[in-house]
Amino acid sequence: IASASLEGLVNQIEGRIQQTGKAEVPSKMIGDLVIAGLKQIDQVAYIRYATVYLGLDDLESVRREIDKILER
């Protein structure tokens, strides 16, 4: 992923977090924002992140996630 794309994603996530007006946010919220952003900018990075974040612990679950992306 180009550094400019990553920087843009980080800025977008920071903005969304700041919009909540809260001093602290759940890590799940951050993870959800990261996975949604990666899905838009780089599908391979999305699958890599999703493998850990979503707990895709076998090839079948990874394949289902890839199939979801390809159906779009």
Side-chain angles (χ1 to χ4, degrees), residues 22-54:
K22 298 178 182 177
E24 294 183 20
V25 296
S27 59
K28 179 160 179 20
M29 178 185 176
I30 296 169
D32 290 348
L33 292 170
V34 169
I35 202 164
L38 286 176
K39 194 173 196 177
Q40 297 301 312
I41 62 173
D42 188 295
Q43 294 173 342
V44 173
Y46 166 81
I47 290 297
R48 289 178 175 169
Y49 187 81
T51 300
V52 175
Y53 185 69
L54 300 177

